[in-house]
Amino acid sequence: MEILILPGDGIGPEITQAARACLEAANRRFGLGLDLVEREIGLPALEKHGSTIPSDVLEHARRADGVVLAPLSTFEYPPASEGGINPSAAVRTGLDLYANVRPAWTRPGVPSLAPSMDLVVVRENTEGFYADRNMALGSGEFMPTPDLAMSVRKITREGCTRIARAAFELAMRRRRKVTAVHKANVLKVTDGLFLECVRKVATDYPQVTLDTVIVDAMAALLVRKPGAFDVIVTTNMFGDILSDEAAELAGGLGLAPSINHGDRHGVAQAIHGSAPDIAGQGIANPTALILSVGMLLEWLGARNDRNDMAAAAGAIRAAVDAVVQDDAVRTPDLGGSGTTEGYGRAVAAAIAG
Ligand code: NAI
Ligand code: MG
């Protein structure tokens, strides 16, 4: 199997190196037979090839068995017409990765704002308000006059149904509780359709409890009783925002992994951005990307009936759980005095056993 690694911008290359060391350790210990291939994207690719994600890299991602996508400085990119394509959007739409699965949980020995929580935000990933991916042609944002800006939010029955199914499937393997987050009190048509689809899918999962919560209340409830939630399913932008909130409650953005998946492709991706404020200092926390790699192995293992991959995913999680407690090794965002490289080395050594 081939895993394509895309190091990204800002802290991307630093945390990718640490995550790659962990993946190599897992590959060796469990004899996974993975080929790791690295390709450049982001600002370096823009300079050399005129695009932040050259089309052959996107093709390569489609051919690979799995992809590790590091964060990108998308806010600094020029317009798409000048090569500034958001690689996250290109990969998510190009590989039809409709589910962005973002777990957030508290850990022993790691400071967190929430006393105890263990939830997963299942975020629709290909439509909603995201103007760079919700249109077949053109942009979902436009300017009819210089003083009028508009954006279109796309919600489809198919998109809502498949994200709901992903959430209920996940809930069946967890505590069997789904919370659908919406704003159907105001967005009656779009979020009304979303809720209709979620409720329809729910009838196939009688063992799972379904609650619905309006998004602004959800922002408050996450702070008030974070331990009350299991699987949260929602549309693209609400999921983007609530997953950062959940991550911060559980210990910080540097710990928060995710997988983007559809029916055929899986892409590991930390939920945070390229953190330009700390890039190049060697202090970024690589945990989120390391755990994302673990989620990718778990997903590949389940799809391919590969127990060795499931075991490797478990070993990555266990290694992080052990090393992240050590103040001398963990990074400054967690109050530690460690470095990206040293932490990555320690986790890789723990994976190697
Ligand atoms: P950010 O997530 O990069 O940073 C927010 C804060 O969290 C900063 O203080 C940063 O230092 C800290 N932080 C994030 N990850 C960390 C880590 N691993 N270790 C330690 N501290 C960490 O969000 P921001 O600053 O809004 O965006 C920066 C750039 O990233 C922008 O260009 C934005 O467009 C892009 N971005 C890219 C994403 C992606 O490629 N998936 C996702 C979100 C933002
Ligand atoms: Mg985000």
Side-chain angles (χ1 to χ4, degrees):
M1 278 195 187
E2 185 183 88
I3 305 292
L4 176 64
I5 299 176
L6 306 171
D9 301 312
I11 60 169
E14 303 162 49
I15 61 172
T16 299
Q17 215 171 33
R20 181 177 178 144
C22 295
L23 183 54
E24 278 167 358
N27 196 19
R28 268 195 303 275
R29 171 163 165 205
F30 294 91
L32 302 179
L34 300 175
D35 281 328
L36 311 186
V37 181
E38 222 164 283
R39 300 283 305 263
E40 215 164 50
I41 57 165
L43 294 168
L46 179 69
E47 203 164 293
K48 282 188 211 148
H49 310 291
S51 169
T52 47
I53 180 153
S55 55
D56 61 316
V57 176
L58 191 56
E59 273 312 309
H60 198 150
R62 222 176 254 126
R63 278 196 316 275
D65 297 285
V67 178
V68 179
L69 177 58
L72 300 135
S73 295
T74 44
F75 199 49
E76 293 171 34
Y77 288 4
S81 56
E82 292 162 34
I85 297 161
N86 180 344
S88 281
V91 168
R92 286 169 183 173
T93 49
L95 276 61
D96 202 22
L97 309 172
Y98 59 81
N100 187 201
V101 180
R102 297 181 153 189
W105 71 98
T106 46
R107 303 150 166 93
V110 178
S112 60
L113 294 169
S116 165
M117 65 190 279
D118 178 7
L119 60 79
V120 186
V121 176
V122 178
R123 164 198 179 194
E124 201 293 322
N125 217 11
T126 53
E127 45 188 47
F129 256 129
Y130 285 63
D132 56 359
R133 67 204 75 165
N134 66 5
M135 295 282 148
L137 192 65
S139 166
E141 279 195 310
F142 46 93
M143 227 169 179
T145 73
D147 301 310
L148 171 63
M150 308 189 80
S151 66
V152 171
R153 177 167 181 254
K154 173 180 154 198
I155 300 291
T156 67
R157 192 176 295 280
E158 188 203 358
C160 296
T161 301
R162 62 188 189 171
I163 197 63
R165 201 161 288 286
F168 278 89
E169 283 293 323
L170 182 61
M172 286 297 288
R173 304 194 296 276
R174 293 176 47 94
R175 303 197 305 277
R176 301 192 170 185
K177 187 171 172 214
V178 170
T179 305
V181 177
H182 65 93
K183 187 77 186 176
N185 49 327
V186 177
L187 303 169
K188 290 182 196 292
V189 179
T190 45
D191 270 351
L193 177 59
F194 169 70
L195 281 183
E196 181 193 324
C197 295
V198 172
R199 290 195 173 108
K200 180 138 188 283
V201 169
T203 62
D204 291 337
Y205 298 87
Q207 309 93 322
V208 178
T209 310
L210 171 65
D211 285 331
T212 61
V213 179
I214 296 173
V215 64
D216 30 354
M218 188 67 193
L221 289 177
L222 262 183
V223 174
R224 195 189 303 168
K225 46 174 192 175
F229 300 99
D230 180 17
V231 174
I232 295 166
V233 65
T234 190
T235 48
N236 199 340
M237 186 178 284
F238 296 160
D240 193 1
I241 297 167
L242 292 175
S243 57
D244 269 37
E245 185 188 349
E248 207 52 38
L249 286 165
L253 280 179
L255 295 172
S258 89
I259 182 168
N260 302 273
H261 75 78
D263 297 325
R264 305 213 332 256
H265 300 278
V267 175
Q269 189 180 31
I271 84 163
H272 59 73
S274 62
D277 52 338
I278 56 165
Q281 298 175 30
I283 55 164
N285 188 349
T287 304
L289 195 60
I290 293 170
L291 290 172
S292 303
V293 167
M295 289 182 78
L296 177 63
L297 291 182
E298 192 182 350
W299 183 81
L300 284 170
R303 262 173 67 79
N304 298 292
D305 270 328
R306 292 267 308 258
N307 290 336
D308 55 345
M309 287 192 156
I316 290 175
R317 262 196 314 272
V320 166
D321 282 345
V323 176
V324 79
Q325 301 197 33
D326 189 342
D327 240 351
V329 181
R330 67 185 177 195
T331 45
D333 57 308
L334 299 178
S337 51
T339 62
T340 311
E341 200 196 333
Y343 178 88
R345 226 182 305 117
V347 176
I351 294 167

Coordinates of all heavy atoms in Angstrom, one line a residue, residues 7-18 70-73 253-254 270 272-286 288-289 340:
P7 N 3.5 17.6 3.0 CA 3.9 18.4 4.2 C 3.4 19.8 4.4 O 3.4 20.3 5.6 CB 5.5 18.4 4.0 CG 5.8 17.4 3.0 CD 4.6 17.3 2.1
G8 N 2.8 20.4 3.4 CA 2.1 21.7 3.7 C 3.0 22.9 4.0 O 4.2 22.9 3.7
D9 N 2.4 23.9 4.7 CA 3.0 25.2 5.0 C 3.2 25.4 6.5 O 2.7 24.7 7.3 CB 2.2 26.4 4.4 CG 1.9 26.3 2.9 OD1 2.9 26.1 2.2 OD2 0.7 26.4 2.6
G10 N 3.9 26.5 6.8 CA 4.0 26.9 8.2 C 4.6 25.8 9.1 O 5.7 25.3 8.7
I11 N 3.9 25.4 10.1 CA 4.4 24.3 10.9 C 4.3 22.9 10.3 O 4.7 21.9 10.8 CB 3.7 24.2 12.3 CG1 2.2 23.9 12.2 CG2 4.0 25.4 13.2 CD1 1.5 23.6 13.5
G12 N 3.6 22.9 9.1 CA 3.3 21.6 8.4 C 4.6 20.7 8.2 O 4.5 19.6 8.7
P13 N 5.7 21.2 7.6 CA 6.8 20.3 7.5 C 7.4 19.8 8.8 O 7.8 18.6 8.9 CB 7.8 21.2 6.7 CG 7.0 22.2 6.0 CD 5.8 22.5 6.9
E14 N 7.4 20.6 9.8 CA 7.9 20.2 11.1 C 7.1 19.1 11.7 O 7.6 18.0 12.2 CB 7.9 21.4 12.1 CG 8.7 22.6 11.7 CD 8.3 23.8 12.5 OE1 8.3 23.8 13.7 OE2 8.1 24.9 11.9
I15 N 5.8 19.3 11.8 CA 4.9 18.2 12.4 C 4.8 17.0 11.5 O 4.7 15.9 12.0 CB 3.5 18.7 12.8 CG1 2.7 19.2 11.6 CG2 3.6 19.8 13.8 CD1 1.3 19.6 11.9
T16 N 5.0 17.2 10.1 CA 5.0 16.0 9.2 C 6.1 15.1 9.5 O 6.0 13.9 9.5 CB 5.0 16.5 7.8 OG1 3.8 17.3 7.5 CG2 5.0 15.3 6.8
Q17 N 7.3 15.7 9.7 CA 8.5 14.9 10.0 C 8.3 14.0 11.2 O 8.6 12.9 11.2 CB 9.7 15.9 10.3 CG 11.0 15.3 9.7 CD 12.1 16.4 9.8 OE1 12.1 17.2 10.7 NE2 13.0 16.4 8.9
A18 N 7.7 14.6 12.3 CA 7.4 13.9 13.5 C 6.4 12.8 13.2 O 6.5 11.6 13.7 CB 6.9 14.8 14.6
A70 N -0.8 17.8 5.6 CA -0.5 18.7 6.7 C -1.2 20.0 6.5 O -1.7 20.3 5.4 CB 1.1 18.9 6.7
P71 N -1.2 20.9 7.5 CA -1.9 22.2 7.4 C -1.2 23.1 6.4 O 0.0 23.0 6.1 CB -1.8 22.8 8.8 CG -0.8 22.0 9.5 CD -0.7 20.7 8.9
L72 N -2.0 24.0 5.9 CA -1.6 24.9 4.8 C -2.0 26.4 5.1 O -3.0 26.6 5.8 CB -2.4 24.5 3.5 CG -2.0 23.1 3.1 CD1 -3.2 22.3 2.8 CD2 -1.0 23.0 2.1
S73 N -1.1 27.3 4.7 CA -1.4 28.7 5.0 C -2.3 29.3 3.9 O -2.0 30.3 3.2 CB 0.0 29.5 4.9 OG 0.8 29.0 6.0
L253 N -5.8 22.7 20.5 CA -5.8 22.4 19.0 C -4.7 21.5 18.6 O -4.8 20.7 17.7 CB -5.6 23.7 18.2 CG -6.9 24.6 18.0 CD1 -6.5 25.8 17.2 CD2 -8.0 23.8 17.3
G254 N -3.6 21.6 19.3 CA -2.4 20.7 19.0 C -2.6 19.2 19.2 O -1.8 18.4 18.8
A270 N -4.7 17.0 10.6 CA -5.0 17.7 11.9 C -6.1 18.7 11.7 O -6.2 19.3 10.6 CB -3.7 18.4 12.4
H272 N -6.2 21.7 13.1 CA -5.7 23.1 13.2 C -5.0 23.5 11.9 O -4.9 22.7 10.9 CB -4.6 23.2 14.3 CG -3.5 22.3 14.2 ND1 -2.5 22.5 13.3 CD2 -3.1 21.1 14.8 CE1 -1.6 21.5 13.4 NE2 -1.9 20.7 14.3
G273 N -4.7 24.8 11.8 CA -4.0 25.4 10.6 C -2.5 25.4 10.7 O -2.0 24.6 11.5
S274 N -1.9 26.2 9.9 CA -0.4 26.1 9.8 C 0.3 27.0 10.8 O 1.5 27.0 10.8 CB -0.1 26.7 8.4 OG -0.5 28.0 8.3
A275 N -0.4 27.5 11.8 CA 0.2 28.2 13.0 C 1.4 29.1 12.6 O 2.5 28.8 13.1 CB 0.5 27.2 14.1
P276 N 1.2 30.1 11.7 CA 2.4 30.9 11.3 C 3.1 31.6 12.5 O 4.3 31.8 12.4 CB 1.8 31.9 10.3 CG 0.3 31.8 10.4 CD 0.0 30.5 11.0
D277 N 2.3 31.8 13.6 CA 2.9 32.5 14.7 C 4.0 31.7 15.4 O 4.9 32.3 16.1 CB 1.8 32.9 15.8 CG 0.9 31.7 16.2 OD1 0.8 30.7 15.4 OD2 0.3 31.8 17.3
I278 N 4.0 30.4 15.2 CA 5.1 29.6 15.9 C 5.9 28.7 14.8 O 6.7 27.9 15.2 CB 4.5 28.6 17.0 CG1 3.4 27.7 16.4 CG2 4.0 29.4 18.1 CD1 3.1 26.5 17.3
A279 N 5.6 29.0 13.5 CA 6.3 28.2 12.5 C 7.8 28.4 12.6 O 8.3 29.5 12.8 CB 5.8 28.5 11.1
G280 N 8.6 27.3 12.3 CA 10.1 27.4 12.2 C 10.8 27.4 13.6 O 12.0 27.5 13.6
Q281 N 10.0 27.4 14.7 CA 10.6 27.5 16.0 C 10.8 26.1 16.6 O 11.4 26.0 17.7 CB 9.7 28.3 16.9 CG 9.6 29.7 16.5 CD 8.6 30.5 17.4 OE1 8.5 30.2 18.6 NE2 7.9 31.5 16.9
G282 N 10.3 25.0 15.9 CA 10.5 23.7 16.4 C 9.7 23.4 17.7 O 10.1 22.5 18.5
I283 N 8.6 24.1 17.9 CA 7.9 23.9 19.2 C 6.4 23.5 18.9 O 5.6 23.4 19.9 CB 7.9 25.2 20.1 CG1 7.4 26.4 19.3 CG2 9.3 25.4 20.7 CD1 7.0 27.6 20.2
A284 N 6.0 23.4 17.7 CA 4.6 23.0 17.3 C 4.4 21.6 17.9 O 5.3 20.7 17.9 CB 4.4 23.0 15.8
N285 N 3.1 21.4 18.3 CA 2.7 20.1 18.8 C 2.3 19.2 17.7 O 1.4 19.5 17.0 CB 1.6 20.3 19.8 CG 1.2 19.0 20.5 OD1 1.7 17.9 20.2 ND2 0.4 19.2 21.5
P286 N 3.0 18.1 17.4 CA 2.7 17.2 16.3 C 1.6 16.2 16.6 O 1.3 15.4 15.8 CB 4.0 16.5 16.0 CG 4.7 16.4 17.3 CD 4.3 17.6 18.1
A288 N -1.6 16.1 17.0 CA -2.8 16.1 16.2 C -2.6 15.3 14.9 O -3.4 14.5 14.4 CB -3.3 17.5 15.9
L289 N -1.4 15.6 14.2 CA -1.2 14.9 13.0 C -0.8 13.4 13.2 O -1.2 12.6 12.4 CB -0.1 15.7 12.2 CG 0.1 15.2 10.7 CD1 -1.2 15.5 9.9 CD2 1.2 16.0 10.0
T340 N 9.2 19.8 19.0 CA 8.4 19.0 18.0 C 9.2 17.7 17.7 O 8.7 16.6 17.7 CB 8.3 19.8 16.7 OG1 7.8 21.1 17.0 CG2 7.3 19.1 15.7

